[in-house]
Amino acid sequence: MDLQAEINWIQKALSESKDPTFIEAVKNMIQSMRKVKEKLSAEQKQEDILMAEAEVDIKAGRVYSTEEAHKIVDSWEL
């Protein structure tokens, strides 16, 4: 079945349903999926910002070797 056929089938099933519990469950599922999508979008946006900042740091030579990074971490008081 193609996507439009799937959508049509779902719409038909919803319009024929007289079960408020079923309709509420579908509604809740859609709302939950939208919240997840919004959260992922915000996380992706933040990741893109961090990657852009990292690229600027790399181009400016603000980088550490693995050995230097280990020394820095070892100097931290935990």
Side-chain angles (χ1 to χ4, degrees), residues 36-51:
V36 168
K37 185 176 180 182
E38 289 171 8
K39 182 179 181 213
L40 292 175
S41 178
E43 289 174 356
Q44 182 63 51
K45 190 179 284 187
Q46 181 61 29
E47 187 174 310
D48 291 346
I49 290 169
L50 292 172
M51 291 299 291

Side-chain angles (χ1 to χ4, degrees), residues 10-43:
I10 292 167
Q11 286 175 333
K12 184 175 185 244
L14 288 170
S15 65
E16 291 174 353
S17 177
K18 304 293 184 223
D19 182 356
T21 304
F22 171 70
I23 300 297
E24 187 69 22
V26 172
K27 177 183 166 187
N28 289 338
M29 181 182 64
I30 292 169
Q31 288 174 331
S32 176
M33 289 173 56
R34 286 181 177 166
K35 286 179 186 175
V36 168
K37 185 176 180 182
E38 289 171 8
K39 182 179 181 213
L40 292 175
S41 178
E43 289 174 356

Side-chain angles (χ1 to χ4, degrees), residues 1 3-5 7-8 14-16 24 28 33-34 39 42-43 51 53 57 64 73-76 78:
M1 222 184 263
L3 181 59
Q4 190 57 51
I7 292 169
N8 292 340
L14 288 170
S15 65
E16 291 174 353
E24 187 69 22
N28 289 338
M33 289 173 56
R34 286 181 177 166
K39 182 179 181 213
E43 289 174 356
M51 291 299 291
E53 290 173 358
D57 286 340
Y64 297 100
V73 171
D74 289 342
S75 73
W76 294 347
L78 300 176

